[in-house]
């Protein structure tokens, strides 16, 4: 190796080490730091992040195992009011901007809850939901949910959250919020467009079916 090459190799090693050094900065999300700040969230989202389905009332979504960047964006949007929820705005405002990525990383690190016993849905309702989620309804210009939310609707990257294994009342409420224009913080209004094409029966069916599906790849039957 020439002197110059050695110098470049050292420079390269330094750049790598320096970037690792930067990655350990306090600015980076740390689930352990997030755990303490997440204590106030447990009364609704539960300590294990599994949330709760409350038909007829405001449901508490499962947060466990959702993507950290997605979660952080939602908390920021609640805090700024860009995603409207009086309940969540109050709790998001209890977090400093520095705490938000840590809390998001904490919930993202928790295993998705195991499936709760399915409600007694009719086979017809579940089949309609499965069709919408996995094949779409081309007569109504509805692409399958899985085309964005990933195979098995378990999420894709930081933009498309997992919707399989989420509580049915929460899924239904969010679709209604988009139809009514009260949730508007999604990129390029993708979900507003989808929701606008769904009937009340479609929404009930897809929420029911998705809630009966595994929330992580590990829970998929062999
Ligand atoms: C009093 C009950 C309550 C408490 C406490 C609470 N939340 Fe929520 N949370 C809700 C409700 C209700 C929603 C659904 C809001 C909606 O309809 O848009 C929600 C939604 C969320 C979402 C959006 C999830 C998604 O999939 O888009 C996140 C993230 C969240 N909460 C994080 C937190 C964090 C972090 C805390 C603690 C600092 C917290 N919540 C405390 C009730 C609560
Ligand atoms: C064209 C892409 C696209 C399609 C198709 C799509 N979604 Fe979404 N969906 C999104 C995006 C993007 C978000 C995240 C919105 C945000 O960041 O606020 C989202 C979020 C959601 C949420 C909120 C999840 C949460 O944790 O709050 C639900 C529920 C949802 N979608 C249901 C559906 C259902 C049901 C279908 C099929 C009928 C569907 N989506 C099809 C793009 C899509």
């Amino acid at each position: 190796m020439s002197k110059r090459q050695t110098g470049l190799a050292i420079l390269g090693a330094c750049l790598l080490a320096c970037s690792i050094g930067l990655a350990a900065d306090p600015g980076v999300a740390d689930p352990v730091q997030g755990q303490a700040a997440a204590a106030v969230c447990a009364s609704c989202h539960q300590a294990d992040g599994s949330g709760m389905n409350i038909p007829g009332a405001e449901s508490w979504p499962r947060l466990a195992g959702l993507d950290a960047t997605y979660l952080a964006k939602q908390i920021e949007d609640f805090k700024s009011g860009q995603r409207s929820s009086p309940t969540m705005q109050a709790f998001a405002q209890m977090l400093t901007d520095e705490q938000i990525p840590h809390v998001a990383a904490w919930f993202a690190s928790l295993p998705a809850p195991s499936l709760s016993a399915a409600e007694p849905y009719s086979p017809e309702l579940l089949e309609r939901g499965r069709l919408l989620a996995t094949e779409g309804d081309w007569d109504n210009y509805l692409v399958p949910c899985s085309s964005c939310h990933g195979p098995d609707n378990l999420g894709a990257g930081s933009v498309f959250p997992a919707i399989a294994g989420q509580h049915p009342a929460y899924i239904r409420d969010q679709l209604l919020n988009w139809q009514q224009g009260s949730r508007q913080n999604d990129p390029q209004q993708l979900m507003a467009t989808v929701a606008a094409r769904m009937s009340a029966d479609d929404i009930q069916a897809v929420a029911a079916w998705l809630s009966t599906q595994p929330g992580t790849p590990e829970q998929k039957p062999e």
Side-chain angles (χ1 to χ4, degrees), residues 55-116:
E58 207 184 42
S59 273
W60 303 323
R62 149 212 169 187
L63 306 180
L66 297 187
D67 179 81
T69 306
Y70 169 79
L71 289 175
K73 175 182 183 281
Q74 299 305 316
I75 300 170
E76 282 161 9
D77 286 357
F78 284 127
K79 190 174 175 182
S80 69
Q82 195 142 340
R83 177 171 169 185
S84 71
S85 161
T87 310
M88 266 311 300
Q89 185 166 33
F91 284 93
Q93 282 175 346
M94 289 179 191
L95 302 175
T96 64
D97 291 347
E98 291 70 39
Q99 283 174 318
I100 289 175
H102 300 314
V103 171
W106 166 248
F107 282 113
S109 75
L110 299 175
S114 50
L115 293 173
S116 49

